[in-house]
Amino acid sequence: MITNIEELSAFLKGIDFFSSLQANDMKEIIQASKLLTLDKEDVVFEYGSTGCSIFVIVSGEVIIFRNRRIISKLSAGNYFGELALLSADSRSASVKAAGKATLLEIPAQKCRDLLQANISTLWEIIKTLSSRLRQTNSNIVSEYENVNMIVHDMRNVLSALSFATVISNNL
């Protein structure tokens, strides 16, 4: 378990978003943050709540979901809630712990300050966001294709029933 600033700094250095930070910036981010310990099913935030922090998974896993649909499952070394960096709009999904988990909660304003001072960190967040958008688009296309197959199959069944009705009416 990571317990001190040096260990947490080394852990964060391995994450793309934080990899280009200087030691003093890293220390400042860590000091402004707090560690959260979660049990299974503990909710980090709810869909529609206001976003004012981003979260780094230090240990364990979280489930990102909306209604009953699971969007993603993230493990240690990942971060989420990064849209709070761009605006304080409401959250687009809910997040809960999949089991025991430890998160680092970082105030969004502290990260915004960091982004303004460090362009390479800004590029990392843009890459992460575009990757997640691509995955979402891929999921939407896949679901659309599944719906089209179901509609096609239903039409086949309805056509057969319609044909059977015509035949039985002509007997």
Side-chain angles (χ1 to χ4, degrees):
M1 172 69 172
I2 297 173
T3 57
N4 62 46
I5 289 179
E6 291 76 25
E7 290 174 334
L8 199 48
S9 181
F11 175 77
L12 292 176
K13 271 291 193 190
I15 300 172
D16 57 5
F17 183 65
F18 303 97
S19 62
S20 63
L21 289 182
Q22 299 298 317
N24 58 332
D25 290 331
M26 184 73 78
K27 186 175 180 182
E28 200 174 307
I29 285 282
I30 292 169
Q31 288 175 334
S33 303
K34 63 181 174 181
L35 280 173
L36 306 175
T37 303
L38 305 173
D39 290 319
K40 185 176 183 173
E41 302 291 320
D42 282 353
V43 174
V44 180
F45 57 74
E46 297 275 353
Y47 165 72
S49 63
T50 303
C52 59
S53 298
I54 70 165
F55 299 85
V56 176
I57 306 166
V58 178
S59 67
E61 293 181 320
V62 298
I63 298 169
I64 300 172
F65 65 100
R66 185 161 172 185
N67 299 322
R68 291 187 184 129
R69 180 174 171 73
I70 294 175
I71 297 169
S72 185
K73 194 172 191 180
L74 301 175
S75 58
N78 286 287
Y79 54 92
F80 60 93
E82 67 279 352
L83 288 177
L85 298 176
L86 304 176
S87 74
D89 290 344
S90 48
R91 300 285 191 178
S92 60
S94 298
V95 179
K96 66 181 177 181
K100 283 255 185 218
T102 303
L103 308 179
L104 182 67
E105 182 179 8
I106 306 170
Q109 186 56 52
K110 188 52 105 174
C111 287
R112 280 188 213 104
D113 295 344
L114 169 71
L115 292 174
Q116 289 176 347
N118 193 332
I119 194 75
S120 60
T121 303
L122 181 60
W123 278 115
E124 293 303 330
I125 198 75
I126 289 170
K127 287 193 297 188
T128 297
L129 289 172
S130 70
S131 170
R132 290 182 182 175
L133 284 173
R134 271 193 215 102
Q135 183 60 44
T136 299
N137 287 341
S138 177
N139 291 346
I140 290 170
V141 167
S142 177
E143 288 179 16
Y144 177 77
E145 290 169 349
N146 287 339
V147 167
N148 274 339
M149 282 188 343
I150 292 169
V151 168
H152 175 76
D153 291 346
M154 290 174 66
R155 283 185 181 157
N156 287 342
V157 169
L158 291 174
S159 293
L161 289 173
S162 175
F163 185 66
T165 304
V166 169
I167 290 175
S168 70
N169 287 340
N170 290 328
L171 293 177

